[in-house]
Amino acid sequence: MAGSLNNLLAWSTANSVAPQDGSAPASSTPSSGLNAEMLAELLGGPSDADRMRDAMSAITLPLEQVSLENKLIAWDNLEQLIEQIDNANNMDPMGLWPPLLRQLENPEAELRRMAAWCASTAVQNNVKAQEKFLAEGGIPKLVKLATEDPVQSVRKKAITALSSAVRNFQPGLDELEQSVPDAIWTKKQGLDAADMEAVDEVISALRDHSASRS
C-alpha cells in the first residue's frame, strides 16, 4: 500500500505542476504512472489476485452453490486475468495450479474444456508456468484428455494446451513424448522443443487421432 501511495503522490505532483509561463499543460492526458492495479488498491477495489482467488472459489464450489453458467463466467474471468504473464506466474504462490488441474477431471465437459483453455493461456510463451505445470503433473493429465475424452471440443482444447506447454520447453516435450500412447506416437526419438516443425509432428498426431474419433 505504501508503494501505491508513493506512486500516487508522484503522479499527482507530475500532473499538477503548471508551466511557469502560465500556458496550458502540454497535454491533458494523465501520465501512465498509475496502473489499474494501483488504482484498484487505492480505491479499495479488488486486486487481480483477489479476482483470481474469487474466480477459482466459484469454479471449485459445488454446482448446487454456483450454477454452471456462473462457473463458466468465472473461468472466462480467470482466463482473461492470466493472459498477463505476472498473473500467470502468481498462480503458483497463490496455490491455484492444483485446483485448476483437478478441474481437468470434472464430470462437466465444458468445465474440463475451460480448465484446459486456462492452462493453455497460462503456459503460453511462459517458461516459469511451463515448469510449474510440468512439476504438477499437468502434461499426462492433458494427454489423457486429448486421447480419451469423449467430447471433441475438450480433446481439441487439451491438444492446444499441450502445444503451448511444450514449445521451446524441452522437459515438457520429453514428458509429452513419453505420455502419448504408442498407438498414436511411436517414434519416441527425442524431438527438439525449439524445432517448431518437429513439435508439430507429435501435435498433429494427436489432432489426427482426435479427429478420427469424431
Side-chain angles (χ1 to χ4, degrees), residues 33-55:
L34 282 177
N35 58 35
E37 186 84 2
M38 289 156 49
L39 282 172
E41 184 177 355
L42 289 165
L43 297 175
S47 65
D48 281 1
D50 291 331
R51 289 192 288 268
M52 290 165 65
R53 289 190 187 95
D54 289 345

Side-chain angles (χ1 to χ4, degrees), residues 25-193:
S27 171
S28 59
T29 303
S31 73
S32 58
L34 282 177
N35 58 35
E37 186 84 2
M38 289 156 49
L39 282 172
E41 184 177 355
L42 289 165
L43 297 175
S47 65
D48 281 1
D50 291 331
R51 289 192 288 268
M52 290 165 65
R53 289 190 187 95
D54 289 345
M56 188 57 74
S57 177
I59 287 164
T60 55
L61 283 171
L63 280 169
E64 293 79 10
Q65 295 179 251
V66 180
S67 69
L68 178 60
E69 179 182 4
N70 285 333
K71 284 179 179 288
L72 293 175
I73 291 171
W75 272 121
D76 189 57
N77 290 340
L78 180 62
E79 194 275 333
Q80 291 183 52
L81 285 163
I82 60 178
E83 286 178 351
Q84 298 181 36
I85 192 168
D86 288 342
N87 287 340
N89 288 336
N90 281 338
M91 291 176 63
D92 178 20
M94 291 171 62
L96 298 186
W97 273 118
L100 187 151
L101 293 176
R102 284 194 292 271
Q103 292 300 308
L104 294 173
E105 301 173 352
N106 195 292
E108 290 285 343
E110 272 299 288
L111 299 181
R112 297 196 302 275
R113 187 181 72 87
M114 289 302 298
W117 189 353
C118 281
S120 179
T121 298
V123 300
Q124 187 171 21
N125 299 317
N126 184 348
V127 68
K128 287 185 178 180
Q130 288 174 319
E131 289 171 347
K132 188 59 183 177
F133 187 71
L134 175 65
E136 292 286 343
I139 287 177
K141 290 179 183 295
L142 283 180
V143 169
K144 184 177 177 64
L145 281 190
T147 58
E148 299 180 16
D149 200 277
V151 180
Q152 186 181 33
S153 63
V154 177
R155 297 198 301 272
K156 282 184 174 181
K157 195 58 69 175
I159 294 168
T160 299
L162 285 168
S163 179
S164 297
V166 304
R167 291 186 187 274
N168 292 308
F169 182 53
Q170 193 63 51
L173 183 57
D174 293 343
E175 178 74 8
L176 173 60
E177 283 203 88
Q178 294 304 313
S179 299
V180 176
D182 290 344
I184 300 172
W185 184 252
T186 58
K187 294 182 180 180
K188 313 287 185 181
Q189 60 187 6
L191 297 176
D192 182 356

